[in-house]
Amino acid sequence: MWTIQSLLFIFCISLRCLTSAVGMIHVTGYVGREVNISCSYDQSYVSHEKFLCKNDCGNSDILITTSQASKTKYSIYDDTSARIFTTTIFDLQYTDAGKYWCGVTKTGTDIYTEVKLKLVQDSCCDTVTKVQSYEGHSESVSCRYESQYQNSLKYICRGNRPSTCLQQALITSDTKQNARFRLDDDKVSGTFTVTINSLTRNDSGSYLCGVHRNSDLDVFSPFELEVEEWCCVKSTKINGTAGHPLTLQCPYPPQHWDNRKFLCKGDHRNNCSDMVTSQSRFTLQDDAASSSFIVRITKLEAADGGTYWCGSDSQWRVGNYTKIELSVFLQHTRKIPDAALYVVYTVPPVLLLMCLLVTVYKNRSSRVNEADDTMIRNTPKEKNIEEVMGAAESGIYKNQEVVMTYVQQKVCKDGGGDEGVYEIMTTIATEDIYCNENFHKANRR
C-alpha cells in the first residue's frame, strides 16, 4: 500500500522529469578537455545553494555544491548578478557522457534542470580543403556558414584542435585586421574570407575556420595550406662591356599582351627598383607578335651589374617573370681563365724540377764518359807497345835502335805518365833488350 511520502516522491520525480524535458540543456565536450555547464535561476533564489548531480540525484549522486567551491574533477561558480551558476568538469572521458541535473535547493522540493552531456574527439574534420601558394604571395581562403550564424563570431586558428581554436585565434570578425591577416565577412553570401599576406614557408600547415555558437560546439571547416619556395622558372645570365650598349629580352604569356611590362633591379623581387621609369638610359619596347619585350641600355656602366627581374604580372605568379643576372666587364680587360691560372702557377715549378734532374743526369754521365775515355786511351797504347815489342822479339826490327827510339817517342808524346808504359820499360830493361852499345852511344850523344 502506497504511503503519502512515497506518492509525493513519485510525484516530484515525475514533475521534475516533465519540467526538465521542456527546459533540457544540451552540452557537448571534447574528450580530454573540460566543459562548462551553465544553469540560470530566478532572482528569489540568489542566496540559495546550487549544485550539480547525476543519475537520480541521491546523496551519493551530488557531484559538487556552491558550498564546496571545487573538487579535483569539478568546480562551480555562482554569478549572482547574472543569476547563472556554472559547473566545470575537467579531463573529460567517454564515461562522463550522459544525463546531469542542475539543482537549486529550497524549502520543500528542489528545482532541477536536466542537462544532456555529449562527448566527441578533439579533432576536425573528415574533409579538408587543400590550398597551395608561394612564399611572398598573398592567399585568400573562403569559409562558408549557415544563415542562422550571420551575427555569430567568426575566426581562424592554426592546428586541428577545435577545443582551443577560439582561444588561439589568429584573427576574428571583431578585430578584422591583425598584422598579415585580414577577415572580411559577407553575410549576404554566408561566407567569410581570410587573407594572409607575405606568405612564408612557416605558414604551411593546418588551419580551422570557426563560427562560434553559445549553446553548442562551434562549427568548423578545415583547410591545409602549403607554401612552396618562391622560385624563378626562367633564369638567364648575360655579360656586357662598360661603355657599350646592351639589349635584354623578356618573354611573357600571350594573354598578358595588354599588361604593363617592367624591368626592375634588386636582389629580391619584393625590393627592386623599376629601371625603365627611373633611368633614362633604359628604354622598353613591346613586341606583342612574339609575346616578348626588349629593354635597351644605351651605355652600360659598371654599376649596372646585378640581378634584374622582368615580367608582365604585378602579382608575380610563377612563370610570368624572368630573372636576369647581368655581369659588366671593363673595356680592355679580360678575365684570365682558371686553366691559364693553373698553368701559370703550376708549370714553372715543374720545369725547374726537370732542369735540376737533367743537370744531375749530365754530371753523372760526364763522369762516366771520362772514365770510359781514360780506359779507351790506355787500351790502344798498351796494344801498340805490345805490337812493337812483339815485332822486336820476332826479329822483324833487326835494328834495336829503331825499337827503342819508337818506344821513347811514344813515352814522350803521351807525357810519360802511363803506368803501363813504365811497366813495359821495366820489363824490357830486365830482359836486356837495351844491350846494344850503339844504342847507348846514341843516347849519350
Side-chain angles (χ1 to χ4, degrees), residues 245-317:
L246 182 69
T247 300
L248 306 177
Q249 186 171 16
C250 302
Y252 60 80
Q255 62 269 26
H256 289 180
W257 66 272
D258 198 31
N259 289 15
R260 186 185 77 87
K261 297 10 178 243
F262 61 87
L263 175 74
C264 67
K265 180 184 179 183
D267 292 335
H268 197 278
R269 64 176 183 83
N270 287 336
N271 184 25
C272 63
S273 303
D274 194 322
M275 302 303 293
V276 177
T277 59
S278 63
Q279 294 284 342
S280 60
R281 294 182 298 109
F282 290 71
T283 57
L284 187 149
Q285 181 179 349
D286 190 7
D287 184 7
S290 63
S291 296
S292 65
F293 65 92
I294 60 174
V295 176
R296 288 190 177 90
I297 309 175
T298 56
K299 189 177 181 181
L300 271 179
E301 298 178 358
D304 291 332
T307 303
Y308 290 81
W309 311 89
C310 62
S312 56
D313 183 5
S314 59
Q315 296 298 318
W316 293 92
R317 294 181 182 87

Side-chain angles (χ1 to χ4, degrees), residues 310-326:
C310 62
S312 56
D313 183 5
S314 59
Q315 296 298 318
W316 293 92
R317 294 181 182 87
V318 173
N320 294 341
Y321 48 83
T322 301
K323 179 181 179 182
I324 300 174
E325 295 287 351
L326 174 60

Side-chain angles (χ1 to χ4, degrees), residues 187-198:
K187 296 181 180 180
V188 176
S189 64
T191 303
F192 72 92
T193 302
V194 175
T195 302
I196 310 175
N197 297 311
S198 302

Side-chain angles (χ1 to χ4, degrees), residues 113-393:
T113 303
E114 187 176 1
V115 179
K116 186 66 176 291
L117 176 60
K118 178 184 177 181
L119 296 181
V120 297
Q121 284 287 347
D122 189 12
S123 62
C124 178
C125 299
D126 294 335
T127 304
V128 179
T129 301
K130 300 285 187 180
V131 180
Q132 187 181 63
S133 189
Y134 298 91
E135 59 179 352
H137 289 199
S138 297
E139 195 64 42
S140 296
V141 180
S142 297
C143 309
R144 296 189 59 81
Y145 58 85
E146 297 179 7
S147 58
Q148 63 265 35
Y149 303 126
Q150 282 186 352
N151 299 320
S152 299
L153 181 72
K154 287 86 176 178
Y155 58 94
I156 186 175
C157 70
R158 291 200 67 166
N160 193 34
R161 297 191 65 179
S163 62
T164 59
C165 189
L166 181 56
Q167 292 85 345
Q168 299 175 358
L170 299 170
I171 189 172
T172 70
S173 54
D174 288 344
T175 56
K176 298 185 185 306
Q177 182 77 42
N178 181 20
R180 296 185 297 119
F181 297 85
R182 188 182 76 251
L183 191 151
D184 299 302
D185 187 8
D186 185 354
K187 296 181 180 180
V188 176
S189 64
T191 303
F192 72 92
T193 302
V194 175
T195 302
I196 310 175
N197 297 311
S198 302
L199 287 170
T200 68
R201 299 291 296 279
N202 292 331
D203 291 323
S204 297
S206 300
Y207 291 80
L208 290 177
C209 295
V211 178
H212 183 60
R213 297 191 298 180
N214 294 322
S215 59
D216 204 346
L217 292 179
D218 293 353
V219 181
F220 296 98
S221 56
F223 67 90
E224 187 81 17
L225 175 61
E226 181 182 1
V227 181
E228 295 184 353
E229 183 179 2
W230 185 85
C231 62
C232 213
V233 174
K234 296 180 288 292
S235 182
T236 182
K237 293 183 178 181
I238 298 178
N239 296 330
T241 305
H244 289 238
L246 182 69
T247 300
L248 306 177
Q249 186 171 16
C250 302
Y252 60 80
Q255 62 269 26
H256 289 180
W257 66 272
D258 198 31
N259 289 15
R260 186 185 77 87
K261 297 10 178 243
F262 61 87
L263 175 74
C264 67
K265 180 184 179 183
D267 292 335
H268 197 278
R269 64 176 183 83
N270 287 336
N271 184 25
C272 63
S273 303
D274 194 322
M275 302 303 293
V276 177
T277 59
S278 63
Q279 294 284 342
S280 60
R281 294 182 298 109
F282 290 71
T283 57
L284 187 149
Q285 181 179 349
D286 190 7
D287 184 7
S290 63
S291 296
S292 65
F293 65 92
I294 60 174
V295 176
R296 288 190 177 90
I297 309 175
T298 56
K299 189 177 181 181
L300 271 179
E301 298 178 358
D304 291 332
T307 303
Y308 290 81
W309 311 89
C310 62
S312 56
D313 183 5
S314 59
Q315 296 298 318
W316 293 92
R317 294 181 182 87
V318 173
N320 294 341
Y321 48 83
T322 301
K323 179 181 179 182
I324 300 174
E325 295 287 351
L326 174 60
S327 299
V328 179
F329 298 99
L330 299 178
Q331 287 183 326
H332 308 299
T333 60
R334 184 173 59 185
K335 182 180 178 182
I336 300 177
D338 293 339
L341 291 175
Y342 176 81
V343 172
V344 170
Y345 289 105
T346 305
V347 171
V350 174
L351 290 177
L352 181 61
L353 179 60
M354 292 178 63
C355 291
L356 181 60
L357 292 175
V358 170
T359 302
V360 172
Y361 175 77
K362 285 185 175 181
N363 289 337
R364 291 186 176 180
S365 298
S366 177
R367 293 178 182 177
V368 172
N369 291 335
E370 289 178 0
D372 291 343
D373 290 342
T374 302
M375 293 179 65
I376 292 171
R377 287 196 304 268
N378 290 342
T379 301
K381 294 174 185 178
E382 294 177 358
K383 184 177 180 180
N384 292 335
I385 294 173
E386 287 177 357
E387 290 177 352
V388 172
M389 296 306 297
E393 289 178 356

